[in-house]
Amino acid sequence: MRVLITGAGRGIGAALARRLAADGHEVIGTVRGTPPDGWLACDVADPASVTAMAQAFGARPLDLLVCNAGVYLDKGHALDTGYDADLWARTFAVNVTGVFLTVQALLPNLRAARGKVAVISSQMGSSQKAGGGGYIYRASKAAATNLALNLAADLRGDGIAVGAWHPGWVQTDMGGAAADVTAVDAADGLAAEFARLSLETTGSFRTWDGRDHPV
């Protein structure tokens, strides 16, 4: 299986790349800046960079696209004084628009393989589990989940299954040391979830450990 993972330089993306490569899959990661051999440079917030990445990937069929690149720029902001407009634009450029542009750019490759798309979202985007705070990140992840579910509807006819996942509260630079799931455990669970994704389960929002998650 040929897999492309955005934002694979660290955190969940790096752990997923290691896990899927260890399972024998061909893994191509994307990173901002200079990529390792066989990987690709891509800043998903830059449309030209996404286009260049897809051109460098070429015409190869793509079995699994993992849209993992994400940012959490408003952590700890106060309602009265925080959440600058620039942070909204920058966050949505990565967490929402970046997902769409990546899928759009690689659609020919996904269609060639009747592949799958996995969008890494978050429980913080769940309207049914709204907990306050983190307004920009929460809104962006709600949009990312909604995007995945709508892509699932439109791409079913192409044989492409799409799902969204909450990866857990993971011990990464974003999640912090107090998080309750290691990156290795999250990657193991997500890899199993991606393997189970099919046209029968397309349009789902699930957790890293295999539970349906409220939208």
Side-chain angles (χ1 to χ4, degrees):
M1 182 170 70
R2 182 175 293 121
V3 184
L4 188 142
I5 305 171
T6 64
R10 62 180 182 173
I12 297 168
L16 271 170
R18 289 191 294 269
R19 169 57 200 266
L20 292 169
D23 288 344
H25 302 301
E26 177 188 352
V27 177
I28 302 99
T30 78
V31 296
R32 291 182 295 175
T34 304
D37 289 345
W39 285 23
L40 300 171
C42 184
D43 178 353
V44 300
D46 179 356
S49 180
V50 176
T51 298
M53 177 273 293
Q55 290 173 344
F57 188 79
R60 290 174 287 176
L62 180 58
D63 299 291
L64 173 63
L65 169 61
V66 183
C67 295
N68 167 75
V71 294
Y72 186 178
L73 303 179
D74 59 316
K75 185 182 294 185
H77 276 227
L79 177 58
D80 292 345
T81 58
Y83 305 104
D84 299 340
D86 177 63
L87 293 185
W88 285 89
R90 288 165 57 196
T91 299
F92 271 71
V94 176
N95 293 0
V96 186
T97 310
V99 173
F100 180 81
L101 293 178
T102 302
V103 174
Q104 185 181 54
L106 293 169
L107 264 180
N109 312 85
L110 289 162
R111 285 176 171 142
R114 296 176 69 88
K116 307 177 187 182
V117 178
V119 175
I120 303 301
S121 186
S122 172
Q123 67 178 358
M124 288 181 68
S126 170
S127 297
Q128 296 183 45
K129 300 187 72 172
Y135 293 102
I136 302 175
Y137 184 74
R138 288 182 185 276
S140 73
K141 287 302 186 179
T145 300
N146 180 274
L147 175 59
L149 304 191
N150 280 284
L151 285 169
D154 282 340
L155 294 177
R156 177 187 286 274
D158 290 315
I160 298 170
V162 185
W165 275 270
H166 165 54
W169 182 23
V170 185
Q171 296 168 10
T172 61
D173 290 344
M174 183 184 293
D180 55 12
V181 181
T182 69
V184 170
D185 286 343
D188 288 348
L190 289 168
E193 282 291 297
F194 301 161
R196 284 192 285 266
L197 177 62
S198 69
L199 290 178
E200 284 67 45
T201 61
T202 192
S204 58
F205 179 32
R206 292 171 60 83
T207 66
W208 67 278
D209 54 353
R211 293 171 288 125
D212 289 328
H213 197 290
V215 176

